[in-house]
Amino acid sequence: MAKPEPVFPVWGSGSSSQGAFSLFSRFWPRAAATKDDHQIELALLADSGLKVVSPSTSDPSQPPLTNHESATTLATSASSDVVAELLDVDIDSEGNYIHTLAIRNNKQTSNAKARHSLVITHGYFTGLGFFFRNYHELSQVPDWDIYSIDWLGMGRSSRPKYVSKRGESEDARVAHAESFFVESLEEWRERMGIERMTLCGHSFGGYMSALYALKYPERVEKLVLVSPIGIPEAPPDFEDRLRQGHGPARRRIPPSSSCTPEYESAEITDAAVKAEEASEAAANKLNEPSRARRLMIGMAMNLWERNFAPQWVVRTAGPLSRRLIDWYIGRFEWLSETQRTALSAYAHQISVLPGSSESALGDILRPGAFARRPLIDRLGSITVPTVFMYGANDWVDFTGGEQVIRRIAGRVSTNLYRISQAGHNLHLENPAEFNNALAAEMRAIS
């Protein structure tokens, strides 16, 4: 059966989220958004140095080879010299699509056959718009096409109903959730006509990108994992400590950092780690969490296990939902006020669209963001060049990447970067250093 044509334009049919309790909703309506309102995303992308246009071809795998004069400009900035298309690419016969930003045929040399593709996948609670500080610089690498996607059920992609397998075995629960994302990415790749790609995933996107590379190594030229979640195993007493109101005695990351291929491990001895853990344990004993705190954490853990996602909280907050997002984005002090306003509006919109695959997070991670099936036990069989990137002040421990590198070094090429003056959102916090590091990995291929 032939696959359906891609759905265009990017602003598909809108829908509103209905409250679970109609009586309550009369007095406290849940926050909702419509996908018809595409101007919010365009306003954010206009700050990226891109000229965003509507599709000028009916087939996403066949971009125009000359110019975009026939396309309709959707958004632009004063300094725009890079043309990007927004596409909704059908991936099945049920109307599901992957929202895509495509920058193609930009910096092309005479050797047109030697083109490469960079595919960027976002983290949880975000979307492709969160890379607005990276697209322009990355597009300057000659002979590279740049793609960025919203995961199925997230961002501005379609929102199919996601049915958890939490009533089955944990392995079945995890496998079902992982397949939902990995197979939709493969369907998207086929529709786009991309033979091989450098796959760059941030956080949750890094986790799923790693799984994709494990299943489809022939389609991945290089794997770039940006502060990926899900690598280490959880401490054996972690959930007990969490229910008691304590956090885990995690290994601390020193403030020093580097962004160089010749990285060095932080000099933290086992004795120092044990001493710090003992000190933290003593402090916890003196500051025993209150009963209310333990109750709140217990309730949150139970909701997590039942697949309630942070976006549910935002929708339920109704009139206060935008304030929650404003507070969260307001902490991004490395952005200008204009950028924070645009990013907050975008983050709010993609958070209150109808719920879908966001609930899969509870199938993949345990409370506390440790994977139910850690990647440390799975990436030992990776067969593609693998690069890790972390922020110097990242809450995700870079030693997880180091452990993977020790297991695969000698079989495939590896690298690890630590981006200075940055935390988990390193691509937003220090875009210059992040862009330089990723561009260097791209040039190493081309």
Side-chain angles (χ1 to χ4, degrees):
M1 181 183 296
K3 293 184 177 180
E5 289 298 316
V7 175
F8 297 113
V10 299
W11 45 94
S13 59
S15 63
S16 297
S17 174
Q18 300 298 321
F21 306 99
S22 57
L23 181 61
F24 177 74
S25 297
R26 291 183 184 180
F27 303 98
W28 191 268
R30 296 182 71 190
T34 171
K35 197 170 182 295
D36 289 336
D37 186 6
H38 57 282
Q39 295 299 329
I40 292 175
E41 180 183 51
L42 295 175
L44 180 63
L45 293 175
D47 196 75
S48 64
L50 302 179
K51 178 182 180 181
V52 184
V53 302
S54 63
S56 53
T57 174
S58 61
D59 185 350
S61 67
Q62 298 295 325
L65 298 178
T66 54
N67 58 53
H68 291 79
E69 291 179 358
S70 62
T72 301
T73 299
L74 301 177
T76 188
S77 64
S79 59
S80 293
D81 61 348
V82 175
V83 175
E85 289 181 305
L86 278 177
L87 318 170
D88 280 347
V89 182
D90 276 353
I91 60 171
D92 59 28
S93 60
E94 299 176 1
N96 290 314
Y97 53 87
I98 298 291
H99 189 58
T100 305
L101 179 75
I103 304 173
R104 303 180 282 193
N105 302 302
N106 185 45
K107 294 285 184 178
Q108 186 169 345
T109 63
S110 59
N111 187 7
K113 292 184 179 180
R115 295 196 65 79
H116 302 274
S117 297
L118 172 69
V119 177
I120 299 173
T121 67
H122 64 83
Y124 193 76
F125 212 19
T126 69
L128 65 83
F130 274 67
F131 289 87
F132 75 98
R133 304 187 82 185
N134 314 112
Y135 294 131
H136 186 277
E137 290 302 316
L138 296 176
S139 71
Q140 302 306 299
V141 181
D143 295 324
W144 278 80
D145 294 330
I146 312 297
Y147 301 92
S148 189
I149 68 166
D150 284 337
W151 288 106
L152 181 62
M154 298 182 179
R156 291 176 60 81
S157 288
S158 62
R159 301 281 180 128
K161 183 178 181 180
Y162 176 82
V163 181
S164 171
K165 299 278 187 179
R166 63 186 175 91
E168 302 183 14
S169 68
E170 184 167 78
D171 283 348
R173 180 182 185 182
V174 173
H176 170 71
E178 293 176 349
S179 178
F180 180 93
F181 296 101
V182 171
E183 298 309 320
S184 62
L185 176 57
E186 172 60 8
E187 287 291 334
W188 174 86
R189 182 203 62 78
E190 289 184 359
R191 295 306 304 271
M192 295 301 294
I194 299 172
E195 287 299 314
R196 299 185 74 204
M197 56 187 166
T198 289
L199 191 53
C200 175
H202 173 246
S203 193
F204 170 87
Y207 179 93
M208 289 301 168
S209 295
L211 296 178
Y212 180 91
L214 285 168
K215 184 168 184 180
Y216 298 104
E218 71 279 6
R219 299 303 182 187
V220 180
E221 199 165 22
K222 179 179 284 188
L223 177 65
V224 181
L225 303 180
V226 181
S227 191
I229 61 170
I231 290 183
E233 294 182 349
D237 63 342
F238 174 69
E239 288 200 27
D240 288 339
R241 289 176 56 83
L242 201 58
R243 289 189 183 278
Q244 293 168 9
H246 298 296
R250 292 175 182 264
R251 183 173 178 176
R252 297 293 186 266
I253 301 176
S256 61
S257 65
S258 63
C259 178
T260 172
E262 292 80 22
Y263 74 92
E264 293 183 359
S265 301
E267 296 180 357
I268 307 178
T269 65
D270 289 339
V273 172
K274 290 179 180 178
E276 185 173 3
E277 289 177 349
S279 175
E280 182 172 351
N284 286 337
K285 189 173 182 179
L286 290 174
N287 299 283
E288 191 67 25
S290 66
R291 184 174 182 274
R293 175 181 169 84
R294 293 196 300 271
L295 180 62
M296 290 293 292
I297 291 178
M299 291 176 60
M301 292 177 69
N302 290 334
L303 288 172
W304 182 283
E305 288 292 349
R306 294 173 59 193
N307 295 86
F308 281 85
Q311 291 89 330
W312 173 81
V313 176
V314 176
R315 294 188 198 99
T316 305
L320 301 179
S321 62
R322 180 59 190 269
R323 291 189 181 183
L324 287 176
I325 299 297
D326 286 345
W327 169 81
Y328 172 66
I329 299 298
R331 301 180 305 159
F332 293 7
E333 56 188 27
W334 51 86
L335 299 178
S336 69
E337 183 176 352
T338 301
Q339 290 173 331
R340 285 196 297 270
T341 299
L343 186 60
S344 183
Y346 171 76
H348 180 260
Q349 183 190 56
I350 63 176
S351 296
V352 301
L353 285 168
S356 178
S357 63
E358 67 203 38
S359 61
L361 193 68
D363 292 335
I364 296 164
L365 302 180
R366 301 183 188 279
F370 286 100
R372 297 182 186 276
R373 292 191 61 201
L375 290 178
I376 189 67
D377 299 326
R378 307 160 77 179
L379 283 176
S381 61
I382 197 78
T383 58
V384 302
T386 303
V387 176
F388 291 89
M389 294 186 183
Y390 296 90
N393 305 310
D394 208 323
W395 65 263
V396 176
D397 194 341
F398 74 96
T399 59
E402 286 187 322
Q403 292 176 37
V404 173
I405 287 178
R406 284 195 290 269
R407 295 189 181 194
I408 65 177
R411 287 194 299 104
V412 297
S413 63
T414 60
N415 213 340
L416 189 150
Y417 295 83
R418 294 183 63 203
I419 305 301
S420 65
Q421 300 179 12
H424 186 55
N425 292 300
L426 48 158
H427 55 291
L428 271 175
E429 298 175 53
N430 191 344
E433 198 168 324
F434 173 85
N435 293 340
N436 287 339
L438 184 52
E441 292 296 332
M442 293 163 65
R443 293 189 179 96
I445 295 176
S446 56

